[in-house]
């Protein structure tokens, strides 16, 4: 089985981490071209991210981990098996702060020059919206182009927005949301399918937290009926002669804050929140 990951760059570390969480142990001294993990019969290829979709499509790699933006830019979205929950960013239109009042959204862009390293995603969007603009394909630093007069607008990847801000640019519209995705050769074999389902399990586990706490017995019914609606795998263990009950429960991330607020209102103590990925790693050893 051959796995393609980014050789260096923003997705490298997290791609290796999710494979490690699946139980694939990497040697400390990584040879960053090709790595053979004989105990698992895996080869890991370290590639430029732009090469990962075509290597996977051709079957040189069985699976790959890459940004969704790269896959869509190369029109290879049919390879996507799942979203992996890291490498979040977005492709947005941005203009210099002085032009913010002139260009408020994509509707104001007909006839304008837009610089981007993602011309295909942009072209598709403009066609769908019947907007006729000039696309300038740039492979380097897109964010400097409005300030040197090469473009009126840029279409670029944004995560924190700091790069835009430090180049005097303002985001006016988000067109595409991206994160790391798992891609797979169209004819995947059994081993590949097994690894994919394991990666999917890891991802699901990462979307949850494990909560441990002691609840006062007089509040227990209220707490349990609340948790029961939102959480999974609820265990309660009475602590003899203490007036308390020990509770452990798995909470989906999107409920975490409302659950924590409710627990606080009900005076629970010794509360511990655990990342489930640590538990998964342990189980896989
Ligand atoms: O060498 P190789 O070709 O493999 O890598 P690369 O240089 O093409 O890509 P790389 O490592 O920069 O990014 C890999 C992938 O990470 C991208 O394809 C995205 O899917 C994802 N990603 C997540 C990002 C960002 N966040 C991001 N912020 N890719 C690029 N950026 C850029 C952004 O364009 C801006 O210029 O980082 C800069 C900082 O962003 P801010 O908004 O946080 O300031
Ligand atoms: Zn690249």
């Amino acid at each position: 089985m051959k796995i393609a990951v980014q050789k260096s760059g923003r997705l490298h570390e997290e791609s290796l981490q999710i494979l490690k969480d699946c139980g694939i142990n990497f040697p400390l001294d990584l040879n960053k071209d090709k790595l053979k993990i004989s105990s698992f019969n895996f080869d890991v290829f370290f590639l430029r991210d732009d090469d990962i979709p075509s290597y996977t499509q051709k079957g040189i790699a069985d699976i790959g981990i890459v940004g969704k933006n790269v896959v869509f830019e190369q029109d290879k979205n049919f390879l996507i098996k799942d979203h992996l929950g890291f490498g979040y960013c977005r492709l947005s239109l941005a203009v210099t702060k002085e032009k913010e009042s002139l260009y408020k959204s994509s509707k104001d862009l007909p006839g304008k020059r837009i610089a981007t390293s993602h011309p295909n995603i942009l072209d598709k969007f403009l066609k769908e919206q019947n907007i006729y603009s000039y696309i300038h394909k740039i492979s380097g630093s897109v964010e400097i182009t409005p300030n040197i007069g090469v473009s009126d607008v840029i279409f670029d990847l944004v995560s924190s927005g700091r790069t835009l801000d430090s180049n005097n640019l303002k985001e006016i519209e988000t067109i595409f949301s991206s994160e790391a995705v798992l891609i797979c050769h169209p004819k995947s074999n059994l081993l590949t399918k097994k690894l994919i389902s394991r990666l999917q399990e890891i991802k699901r586990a990462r979307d949850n937290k494990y909560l441990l706490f002691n609840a006062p017995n007089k509040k227990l019914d209220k707490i349990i009926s609340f948790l029961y609606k939102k959480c999974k795998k609820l265990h309660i263990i009475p602590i003899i002669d203490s007036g308390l009950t020990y509770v452990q429960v798995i909470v989906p991330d999107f409920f975490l804050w409302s659950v924590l607020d409710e627990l606080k209102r009900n005076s629970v103590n010794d509360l511990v929140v655990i990342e489930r990925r640590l538990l998964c790693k342990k189980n896989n050893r």
Side-chain angles (χ1 to χ4, degrees):
M1 160 116 82
K2 290 152 290 177
I3 306 170
V5 297
Q6 195 187 21
K7 181 171 181 163
S8 59
R10 285 186 170 79
L11 301 183
H12 172 78
E13 286 291 331
E14 288 252 44
S15 304
L16 292 190
Q17 186 59 54
I18 198 166
L19 294 173
K20 283 181 197 166
D21 287 353
C22 283
I24 302 173
N25 288 317
F26 292 92
L28 286 175
D29 52 339
L30 279 182
N31 166 359
K32 290 268 191 75
D33 285 315
K34 183 178 154 189
L35 175 71
K36 208 169 186 64
I37 301 169
S38 46
S39 53
F40 282 90
N41 210 9
F42 283 141
D43 283 336
V44 181
F45 296 136
F46 295 101
L47 305 172
R48 291 283 309 267
D49 63 350
D50 317 75
D51 294 331
I52 293 176
S54 57
Y55 273 51
T56 309
Q57 186 183 3
K58 287 176 191 151
I60 299 166
D62 298 296
I63 69 166
I65 297 177
V66 65
K68 185 175 176 180
N69 52 300
V70 175
V71 182
F72 270 71
E73 182 58 25
Q74 298 181 8
D75 205 14
K76 298 205 189 306
N77 15 341
F78 59 91
L79 297 173
I80 295 178
K81 277 279 163 200
D82 210 343
H83 293 65
L84 291 174
F86 63 90
Y88 287 107
C89 56
R90 55 197 186 271
L91 275 165
S92 291
L93 293 162
V95 298
T96 55
K97 288 176 185 166
E98 293 74 36
K99 298 221 175 120
E100 197 188 332
S101 56
L102 287 177
Y103 307 144
K104 293 198 182 72
S105 75
S106 54
K107 307 254 173 318
D108 300 318
L109 300 185
K112 302 291 175 271
R113 300 163 302 161
I114 311 176
T116 184
S117 53
H118 290 77
N120 296 328
I121 295 177
L122 177 61
D123 188 48
K124 187 163 179 280
F125 169 79
L126 293 174
K127 283 195 175 125
E128 280 165 6
Q129 305 295 316
N130 287 320
I131 297 168
Y132 298 92
S133 309
Y134 302 101
I135 298 177
H136 285 262
K137 186 181 172 195
I138 308 269
S139 48
S141 304
V142 174
E143 66 277 2
I144 63 165
T145 57
N147 293 312
I148 56 173
V150 173
S151 69
D152 304 300
V153 181
I154 66 162
F155 177 65
D156 199 11
L157 287 171
V158 184
S159 54
S160 69
R162 274 192 290 273
T163 303
L164 289 185
D165 198 50
S166 62
N167 284 279
N168 192 40
L169 296 165
K170 178 93 185 148
E171 197 173 351
I172 56 167
E173 192 172 327
T174 296
I175 307 297
F176 186 88
S177 295
S178 185
E179 68 187 271
V181 288
L182 180 66
I183 57 172
C184 176
H185 179 58
K187 290 186 192 134
S188 54
N189 59 27
L190 192 62
L191 190 58
T192 309
K193 283 185 185 140
K194 272 192 184 161
L195 182 64
I196 290 170
S197 79
R198 206 153 180 193
L199 281 163
Q200 286 170 328
E201 266 171 41
I202 296 291
K203 191 205 144 199
R204 267 196 298 278
R206 285 179 172 191
D207 293 342
N208 294 288
K209 296 279 184 295
Y210 212 64
L211 257 57
L212 316 174
F213 57 88
N214 291 325
N217 286 346
K218 49 183 189 299
K219 306 262 186 176
L220 193 63
D221 283 350
K222 203 171 161 214
I223 293 172
I224 298 300
S225 67
F226 174 77
L227 292 178
Y228 206 73
K229 286 182 219 136
K230 303 200 162 183
C231 308
K232 296 180 278 187
K233 305 231 165 120
L234 181 62
H235 294 278
I236 51 173
I237 303 165
I239 308 172
I240 297 168
D241 293 339
S242 67
L244 295 172
T245 297
Y246 171 73
V247 180
Q248 63 184 52
V249 67
I250 292 171
V251 184
D253 276 350
F254 49 89
F255 287 140
L256 184 67
W257 291 107
S258 63
V259 167
L260 291 178
D261 283 346
E262 183 67 15
L263 295 180
K264 223 191 284 167
R265 270 196 291 276
N266 285 288
S267 324
V268 310
N269 48 46
D270 301 326
L271 177 72
V272 179
V273 181
I274 303 178
E275 287 274 351
R276 285 198 70 217
R277 68 198 278 189
L278 295 178
L279 297 177
C280 293
K281 251 166 105 179
K282 248 189 195 152
N283 292 341
N284 286 333
R285 264 191 209 131

